[in-house]
Structure formats: structure tokens, C-alpha cells
Amino acid sequence: MTDLTELNVAGVPTMGTYNVPMTASGNYYFVSSVLGANSYLGTADNPFGTIAFAVTQCTANQGDTIIVMQGHAETVSAAGTITCSIAGINIIGLGEGTDRPELTFSATTSSVLITAANVVIANIVGIAGATCTNPFHVQAAGCVLGNVVNGPIEWQDPAAGTQAARVILTTTAGNDLDV
């Protein structure tokens, strides 16, 4: 289980050893494919089963954070399987190395679609399960994919025929993107 003791990193209050940002407002939702189900409450003891469902529970621009627990594995099977349509949310993976949450993109058009501004996704491993064209598709301003405090997004192409043509695709609306 994750240590939820309060820390302070560069003046920003955080919790746990993975520097999950603590906000003055906003809810925390936990996700685990190992322990969770979408019918659960989304707490650390009763996490949701998917990131896609957790996003639907968030409220725009109040600093909601989805904490994706160590060992989580989720298949992204189509375009927009995970659609980040709620502005100002954080999706932060816990763990280090092979313990980090993994998203496997199983079809050519599989994608995490970001259509709302100011979405942060960090410390997640993306894996090509097929030849992918745009696994992370950013269509909104002010988004962050990986960061120094919470960790990068890592991409893995496991075989020559199973790889991404490009990992991140943005539209003209995706300005101020931080990678």
C-alpha cells in the first residue's frame, strides 16, 4: 500500500514517496486493475478498475487527482478509450521501474485522447501492442505529459513490427504542451 504521509517538494505539498501533488481543493481517486472495480468507491482501499472510469468521476478545474496504483495494467483498445475531457485533472502513476502503471495500446488507432485543457499525465508506461499512429493525442492547451516531480511517461516498442509511428500527436489547439 502507498505511504500517504505528507511531504514537501520544492515548496509544493505532496503525499507519499512518489510526490503526488496535494491540492487545497479537489478529490483523489485511486485506480488499480489488481484490486479495483468501477463499482467501487475510488478510495485507496476500494479503487476503481480503470482510468477511463475515474476520469468520468472528476469535476472540471477543481484539482482532482487520479492516482494510478503500482502494478495497474489497462488496455487502450480504440481511439479515445481513455478520453480526458475534464479540464484541470491530474493522472499520476505510482511506482518505479517495472512497478509503474502500464497502458498497452492494442490497435493502430488506440489512443488516450486529451480534449480538455490543463490535464497532467505522469509516471505511466505506454506499450505498443500494435503499430500505433498516435497513442497520446493532445487536442487542448496547457497539458503536461510527464514531469520532473511525478515522473516521465515512458514509451516501449517491444518489437520491430509493434511500434508507434509517433507517440504524441497534437492539434493546433494543443498549444503550451509540456513534454
Side-chain angles (χ1 to χ4, degrees), residues 132-179:
C132 303
T133 54
N134 52 305
F136 292 94
H137 193 173
V138 181
Q139 299 178 0
C143 295
V144 177
L145 298 179
N147 61 38
V148 174
V149 174
N150 301 112
I153 289 180
E154 178 182 319
W155 184 259
Q156 296 178 1
D157 288 329
T162 309
Q163 57 197 12
R166 64 185 159 259
V167 176
I168 301 168
L169 176 66
T170 71
T171 65
T172 55
N175 57 351
D176 297 325
L177 173 64
D178 186 1
V179 178

Tab-separated table of all heavy atoms in Angstrom, residues 132-179:
chain	number	residue	atom	x	y	z
A	132	CYS	N	1.074	1.629	-33.700
A	132	CYS	CA	0.206	2.737	-33.278
A	132	CYS	C	0.526	3.999	-34.065
A	132	CYS	O	1.678	4.264	-34.378
A	132	CYS	CB	0.408	3.019	-31.792
A	132	CYS	SG	0.122	1.603	-30.735
A	133	THR	N	-0.506	4.802	-34.330
A	133	THR	CA	-0.285	6.044	-35.062
A	133	THR	C	-0.209	7.261	-34.155
A	133	THR	O	0.502	8.202	-34.465
A	133	THR	CB	-1.388	6.272	-36.110
A	133	THR	OG1	-2.655	6.202	-35.458
A	133	THR	CG2	-1.312	5.233	-37.212
A	134	ASN	N	-0.948	7.298	-33.059
A	134	ASN	CA	-0.909	8.454	-32.162
A	134	ASN	C	-1.468	8.072	-30.783
A	134	ASN	O	-2.556	8.487	-30.423
A	134	ASN	CB	-1.672	9.647	-32.743
A	134	ASN	CG	-3.079	9.292	-33.166
A	134	ASN	OD1	-3.277	8.379	-33.948
A	134	ASN	ND2	-4.058	10.004	-32.658
A	135	PRO	N	-0.696	7.324	-29.998
A	135	PRO	CA	-1.188	6.865	-28.694
A	135	PRO	C	-1.617	7.979	-27.746
A	135	PRO	O	-2.610	7.843	-27.050
A	135	PRO	CB	-0.013	6.090	-28.115
A	135	PRO	CG	0.886	5.800	-29.257
A	135	PRO	CD	0.620	6.811	-30.300
A	136	PHE	N	-0.894	9.074	-27.692
A	136	PHE	CA	-1.289	10.220	-26.871
A	136	PHE	C	-1.663	11.343	-27.829
A	136	PHE	O	-0.818	11.890	-28.516
A	136	PHE	CB	-0.163	10.642	-25.919
A	136	PHE	CG	0.093	9.624	-24.847
A	136	PHE	CD1	1.064	8.650	-25.007
A	136	PHE	CD2	-0.654	9.635	-23.677
A	136	PHE	CE1	1.293	7.695	-24.024
A	136	PHE	CE2	-0.431	8.681	-22.686
A	136	PHE	CZ	0.540	7.710	-22.860
A	137	HIS	N	-2.957	11.663	-27.888
A	137	HIS	CA	-3.473	12.631	-28.850
A	137	HIS	C	-3.978	13.848	-28.078
A	137	HIS	O	-5.024	13.798	-27.435
A	137	HIS	CB	-4.604	11.993	-29.654
A	137	HIS	CG	-4.994	12.776	-30.854
A	137	HIS	ND1	-5.879	12.302	-31.770
A	137	HIS	CD2	-4.627	14.003	-31.302
A	137	HIS	CE1	-6.051	13.192	-32.722
A	137	HIS	NE2	-5.302	14.236	-32.453
A	138	VAL	N	-3.224	14.941	-28.153
A	138	VAL	CA	-3.500	16.144	-27.371
A	138	VAL	C	-4.226	17.168	-28.245
A	138	VAL	O	-3.698	17.628	-29.242
A	138	VAL	CB	-2.198	16.755	-26.805
A	138	VAL	CG1	-2.501	17.994	-25.974
A	138	VAL	CG2	-1.427	15.725	-25.999
A	139	GLN	N	-5.452	17.532	-27.821
A	139	GLN	CA	-6.274	18.483	-28.554
A	139	GLN	C	-6.695	19.664	-27.673
A	139	GLN	O	-7.730	20.277	-27.920
A	139	GLN	CB	-7.524	17.790	-29.093
A	139	GLN	CG	-7.231	16.659	-30.040
A	139	GLN	CD	-8.496	15.957	-30.511
A	139	GLN	OE1	-9.604	16.302	-30.136
A	139	GLN	NE2	-8.323	14.964	-31.362
A	140	ALA	N	-5.889	19.952	-26.647
A	140	ALA	CA	-6.239	21.042	-25.727
A	140	ALA	C	-4.968	21.710	-25.214
A	140	ALA	O	-3.891	21.106	-25.214
A	140	ALA	CB	-7.069	20.510	-24.573
A	141	ALA	N	-5.106	22.925	-24.729
A	141	ALA	CA	-3.962	23.727	-24.299
A	141	ALA	C	-3.542	23.426	-22.861
A	141	ALA	O	-4.332	22.974	-22.043
A	141	ALA	CB	-4.306	25.209	-24.414
A	142	GLY	N	-2.269	23.715	-22.583
A	142	GLY	CA	-1.756	23.683	-21.221
A	142	GLY	C	-1.581	22.315	-20.618
A	142	GLY	O	-1.539	22.182	-19.393
A	143	CYS	N	-1.455	21.297	-21.430
A	143	CYS	CA	-1.334	19.933	-20.912
A	143	CYS	C	0.129	19.575	-20.644
A	143	CYS	O	1.043	20.164	-21.210
A	143	CYS	CB	-1.955	18.942	-21.887
A	143	CYS	SG	-3.731	19.193	-22.061
A	144	VAL	N	0.320	18.591	-19.770
A	144	VAL	CA	1.652	18.132	-19.393
A	144	VAL	C	1.676	16.616	-19.512
A	144	VAL	O	0.840	15.922	-18.929
A	144	VAL	CB	1.999	18.545	-17.946
A	144	VAL	CG1	3.349	17.993	-17.530
A	144	VAL	CG2	1.952	20.058	-17.786
A	145	LEU	N	2.647	16.098	-20.262
A	145	LEU	CA	2.859	14.650	-20.363
A	145	LEU	C	4.204	14.340	-19.730
A	145	LEU	O	5.246	14.560	-20.329
A	145	LEU	CB	2.820	14.186	-21.816
A	145	LEU	CG	1.490	14.408	-22.550
A	145	LEU	CD1	1.591	13.939	-23.990
A	145	LEU	CD2	0.352	13.708	-21.836
A	146	GLY	N	4.171	13.870	-18.486
A	146	GLY	CA	5.388	13.609	-17.720
A	146	GLY	C	5.923	14.896	-17.132
A	146	GLY	O	5.782	15.957	-17.723
A	147	ASN	N	6.478	14.785	-15.919
A	147	ASN	CA	7.095	15.971	-15.329
A	147	ASN	C	8.172	15.565	-14.337
A	147	ASN	O	8.304	14.397	-13.976
A	147	ASN	CB	6.057	16.910	-14.701
A	147	ASN	CG	5.264	16.280	-13.578
A	147	ASN	OD1	5.775	15.511	-12.780
A	147	ASN	ND2	3.991	16.629	-13.505
A	148	VAL	N	8.949	16.521	-13.917
A	148	VAL	CA	10.094	16.267	-13.051
A	148	VAL	C	9.652	15.765	-11.682
A	148	VAL	O	10.242	14.855	-11.124
A	148	VAL	CB	10.958	17.545	-12.909
A	148	VAL	CG1	12.063	17.346	-11.902
A	148	VAL	CG2	11.521	17.942	-14.256
A	149	VAL	N	8.590	16.328	-11.137
A	149	VAL	CA	8.157	15.962	-9.792
A	149	VAL	C	7.551	14.567	-9.759
A	149	VAL	O	7.887	13.752	-8.907
A	149	VAL	CB	7.151	16.999	-9.228
A	149	VAL	CG1	6.575	16.554	-7.898
A	149	VAL	CG2	7.828	18.351	-9.094
A	150	ASN	N	6.651	14.251	-10.706
A	150	ASN	CA	5.922	12.989	-10.660
A	150	ASN	C	6.478	11.888	-11.541
A	150	ASN	O	6.089	10.740	-11.387
A	150	ASN	CB	4.453	13.223	-11.024
A	150	ASN	CG	3.798	14.205	-10.095
A	150	ASN	OD1	3.461	15.297	-10.507
A	150	ASN	ND2	3.644	13.846	-8.837
A	151	GLY	N	7.343	12.204	-12.464
A	151	GLY	CA	7.950	11.188	-13.311
A	151	GLY	C	7.517	11.299	-14.766
A	151	GLY	O	6.480	11.874	-15.080
A	152	PRO	N	8.302	10.714	-15.645
A	152	PRO	CA	8.036	10.819	-17.087
A	152	PRO	C	6.977	9.831	-17.550
A	152	PRO	O	6.580	8.927	-16.823
A	152	PRO	CB	9.389	10.455	-17.691
A	152	PRO	CG	9.941	9.457	-16.719
A	152	PRO	CD	9.525	9.967	-15.361
A	153	ILE	N	6.551	10.026	-18.776
A	153	ILE	CA	5.826	8.981	-19.488
A	153	ILE	C	6.893	8.255	-20.290
A	153	ILE	O	7.664	8.868	-21.024
A	153	ILE	CB	4.752	9.561	-20.413
A	153	ILE	CG1	3.609	10.136	-19.579
A	153	ILE	CG2	4.246	8.491	-21.368
A	153	ILE	CD1	2.493	10.738	-20.390
A	154	GLU	N	6.955	6.961	-20.123
A	154	GLU	CA	7.928	6.155	-20.874
A	154	GLU	C	7.180	5.421	-21.966
A	154	GLU	O	6.067	4.932	-21.757
A	154	GLU	CB	8.592	5.138	-19.943
A	154	GLU	CG	9.579	4.228	-20.652
A	154	GLU	CD	10.192	3.194	-19.740
A	154	GLU	OE1	10.530	3.532	-18.595
A	154	GLU	OE2	10.334	2.041	-20.177
A	155	TRP	N	7.791	5.338	-23.152
A	155	TRP	CA	7.195	4.594	-24.259
A	155	TRP	C	8.060	3.375	-24.560
A	155	TRP	O	9.279	3.473	-24.634
A	155	TRP	CB	7.065	5.459	-25.512
A	155	TRP	CG	6.375	4.686	-26.585
A	155	TRP	CD1	6.943	4.066	-27.650
A	155	TRP	CD2	4.985	4.384	-26.638
A	155	TRP	NE1	5.990	3.404	-28.377
A	155	TRP	CE2	4.772	3.591	-27.774
A	155	TRP	CE3	3.890	4.708	-25.831
A	155	TRP	CZ2	3.509	3.110	-28.135
A	155	TRP	CZ3	2.638	4.243	-26.196
A	155	TRP	CH2	2.458	3.460	-27.334
A	156	GLN	N	7.407	2.220	-24.783
A	156	GLN	CA	8.127	0.989	-25.116
A	156	GLN	C	7.571	0.397	-26.405
A	156	GLN	O	6.366	0.187	-26.526
A	156	GLN	CB	7.988	-0.036	-23.991
A	156	GLN	CG	8.605	0.403	-22.688
A	156	GLN	CD	8.408	-0.611	-21.563
A	156	GLN	OE1	7.819	-1.672	-21.755
A	156	GLN	NE2	8.919	-0.282	-20.396
A	157	ASP	N	8.466	0.158	-27.364
A	157	ASP	CA	8.151	-0.561	-28.598
A	157	ASP	C	8.760	-1.949	-28.460
A	157	ASP	O	9.971	-2.109	-28.635
A	157	ASP	CB	8.761	0.144	-29.818
A	157	ASP	CG	8.061	1.432	-30.182
A	157	ASP	OD1	6.846	1.534	-29.943
A	157	ASP	OD2	8.728	2.335	-30.709
A	158	PRO	N	7.972	-2.977	-28.127
A	158	PRO	CA	8.546	-4.278	-27.817
A	158	PRO	C	9.123	-5.055	-29.003
A	158	PRO	O	9.945	-5.935	-28.804
A	158	PRO	CB	7.385	-5.045	-27.185
A	158	PRO	CG	6.158	-4.347	-27.607
A	158	PRO	CD	6.536	-2.941	-27.903
A	159	ALA	N	8.697	-4.733	-30.247
A	159	ALA	CA	9.204	-5.472	-31.404
A	159	ALA	C	9.190	-4.560	-32.628
A	159	ALA	O	8.471	-3.560	-32.664
A	159	ALA	CB	8.345	-6.708	-31.659
A	160	ALA	N	9.964	-4.940	-33.642
A	160	ALA	CA	10.075	-4.116	-34.846
A	160	ALA	C	8.718	-3.899	-35.510
A	160	ALA	O	8.437	-2.818	-36.008
A	160	ALA	CB	11.045	-4.762	-35.824
A	161	GLY	N	7.836	-4.882	-35.537
A	161	GLY	CA	6.530	-4.744	-36.166
A	161	GLY	C	5.466	-4.202	-35.223
A	161	GLY	O	4.315	-4.041	-35.604
A	162	THR	N	5.851	-3.943	-33.992
A	162	THR	CA	4.912	-3.444	-32.984
A	162	THR	C	5.514	-2.185	-32.385
A	162	THR	O	6.268	-2.241	-31.426
A	162	THR	CB	4.698	-4.508	-31.884
A	162	THR	OG1	4.372	-5.736	-32.499
A	162	THR	CG2	3.596	-4.111	-30.949
A	163	GLN	N	5.176	-1.048	-32.992
A	163	GLN	CA	5.793	0.200	-32.564
A	163	GLN	C	4.890	1.378	-32.909
A	163	GLN	O	3.902	1.217	-33.594
A	163	GLN	CB	7.151	0.375	-33.230
A	163	GLN	CG	7.090	0.333	-34.741
A	163	GLN	CD	8.445	0.099	-35.370
A	163	GLN	OE1	9.398	-0.236	-34.708
A	163	GLN	NE2	8.521	0.285	-36.664
A	164	ALA	N	5.246	2.517	-32.392
A	164	ALA	CA	4.481	3.725	-32.675
A	164	ALA	C	5.135	4.509	-33.803
A	164	ALA	O	6.352	4.690	-33.813
A	164	ALA	CB	4.392	4.600	-31.434
A	165	ALA	N	4.326	4.954	-34.754
A	165	ALA	CA	4.823	5.844	-35.804
A	165	ALA	C	5.225	7.170	-35.167
A	165	ALA	O	6.209	7.787	-35.534
A	165	ALA	CB	3.755	6.062	-36.866
A	166	ARG	N	4.444	7.607	-34.182
A	166	ARG	CA	4.742	8.756	-33.330
A	166	ARG	C	3.984	8.495	-32.032
A	166	ARG	O	2.914	7.928	-32.041
A	166	ARG	CB	4.308	10.064	-33.976
A	166	ARG	CG	2.821	10.160	-34.174
A	166	ARG	CD	2.380	11.415	-34.920
A	166	ARG	NE	1.070	11.173	-35.484
A	166	ARG	CZ	0.829	10.877	-36.737
A	166	ARG	NH1	1.810	10.826	-37.609
A	166	ARG	NH2	-0.394	10.635	-37.142
A	167	VAL	N	4.514	8.927	-30.930
A	167	VAL	CA	3.899	8.663	-29.635
A	167	VAL	C	2.917	9.769	-29.264
A	167	VAL	O	1.877	9.510	-28.678
A	167	VAL	CB	4.978	8.496	-28.534
A	167	VAL	CG1	4.350	8.324	-27.165
A	167	VAL	CG2	5.871	7.305	-28.868
A	168	ILE	N	3.223	11.011	-29.623
A	168	ILE	CA	2.369	12.144	-29.277
A	168	ILE	C	1.975	12.877	-30.554
A	168	ILE	O	2.819	13.212	-31.368
A	168	ILE	CB	3.095	13.123	-28.334
A	168	ILE	CG1	3.515	12.415	-27.048
A	168	ILE	CG2	2.210	14.331	-28.020
A	168	ILE	CD1	4.485	13.208	-26.198
A	169	LEU	N	0.673	13.112	-30.695
A	169	LEU	CA	0.153	13.916	-31.797
A	169	LEU	C	-0.636	15.068	-31.186
A	169	LEU	O	-1.415	14.868	-30.255
A	169	LEU	CB	-0.770	13.090	-32.696
A	169	LEU	CG	-1.465	13.849	-33.833
A	169	LEU	CD1	-0.457	14.337	-34.856
A	169	LEU	CD2	-2.504	12.979	-34.493
A	170	THR	N	-0.382	16.278	-31.658
A	170	THR	CA	-1.164	17.424	-31.175
A	170	THR	C	-1.855	18.089	-32.334
A	170	THR	O	-1.454	17.955	-33.494
A	170	THR	CB	-0.263	18.476	-30.473
A	170	THR	OG1	0.537	19.124	-31.454
A	170	THR	CG2	0.605	17.857	-29.415
A	171	THR	N	-2.897	18.816	-31.996
A	171	THR	CA	-3.575	19.662	-32.980
A	171	THR	C	-3.150	21.095	-32.700
A	171	THR	O	-2.417	21.359	-31.742
A	171	THR	CB	-5.102	19.547	-32.843
A	171	THR	OG1	-5.499	20.070	-31.579
A	171	THR	CG2	-5.567	18.107	-32.998
A	172	THR	N	-3.627	22.019	-33.478
A	172	THR	CA	-3.282	23.430	-33.234
A	172	THR	C	-3.827	23.913	-31.893
A	172	THR	O	-3.326	24.877	-31.323
A	172	THR	CB	-3.802	24.347	-34.361
A	172	THR	OG1	-5.214	24.137	-34.498
A	172	THR	CG2	-3.112	24.045	-35.670
A	173	ALA	N	-4.837	23.253	-31.358
A	173	ALA	CA	-5.381	23.608	-30.046
A	173	ALA	C	-4.466	23.145	-28.905
A	173	ALA	O	-4.599	23.600	-27.778
A	173	ALA	CB	-6.772	23.005	-29.863
A	174	GLY	N	-3.527	22.273	-29.210
A	174	GLY	CA	-2.645	21.722	-28.180
A	174	GLY	C	-1.439	22.596	-27.866
A	174	GLY	O	-0.334	22.089	-27.668
A	175	ASN	N	-1.631	23.912	-27.804
A	175	ASN	CA	-0.501	24.800	-27.511
A	175	ASN	C	-0.137	24.731	-26.023
A	175	ASN	O	-0.897	24.232	-25.208
A	175	ASN	CB	-0.790	26.231	-27.954
A	175	ASN	CG	-2.032	26.804	-27.325
A	175	ASN	OD1	-2.805	26.115	-26.677
A	175	ASN	ND2	-2.246	28.090	-27.517
A	176	ASP	N	1.039	25.213	-25.696
A	176	ASP	CA	1.582	25.182	-24.335
A	176	ASP	C	1.696	23.764	-23.783
A	176	ASP	O	1.543	23.546	-22.584
A	176	ASP	CB	0.744	26.047	-23.375
A	176	ASP	CG	0.761	27.509	-23.763
A	176	ASP	OD1	1.812	27.977	-24.243
A	176	ASP	OD2	-0.269	28.183	-23.595
A	177	LEU	N	1.956	22.803	-24.650
A	177	LEU	CA	2.160	21.413	-24.231
A	177	LEU	C	3.550	21.273	-23.616
A	177	LEU	O	4.544	21.743	-24.175
A	177	LEU	CB	2.031	20.475	-25.427
A	177	LEU	CG	2.371	19.007	-25.197
A	177	LEU	CD1	1.407	18.376	-24.195
A	177	LEU	CD2	2.334	18.249	-26.526
A	178	ASP	N	3.626	20.636	-22.462
A	178	ASP	CA	4.896	20.384	-21.782
A	178	ASP	C	5.148	18.879	-21.791
A	178	ASP	O	4.348	18.122	-21.247
A	178	ASP	CB	4.834	20.927	-20.351
A	178	ASP	CG	6.154	20.848	-19.626
A	178	ASP	OD1	7.153	20.388	-20.219
A	178	ASP	OD2	6.193	21.239	-18.452
A	179	VAL	N	6.242	18.473	-22.422
A	179	VAL	CA	6.599	17.053	-22.501
A	179	VAL	C	7.929	16.853	-21.816
A	179	VAL	O	8.865	17.566	-22.074
A	179	VAL	CB	6.678	16.578	-23.972
A	179	VAL	CG1	7.090	15.131	-24.053
A	179	VAL	CG2	5.350	16.786	-24.661
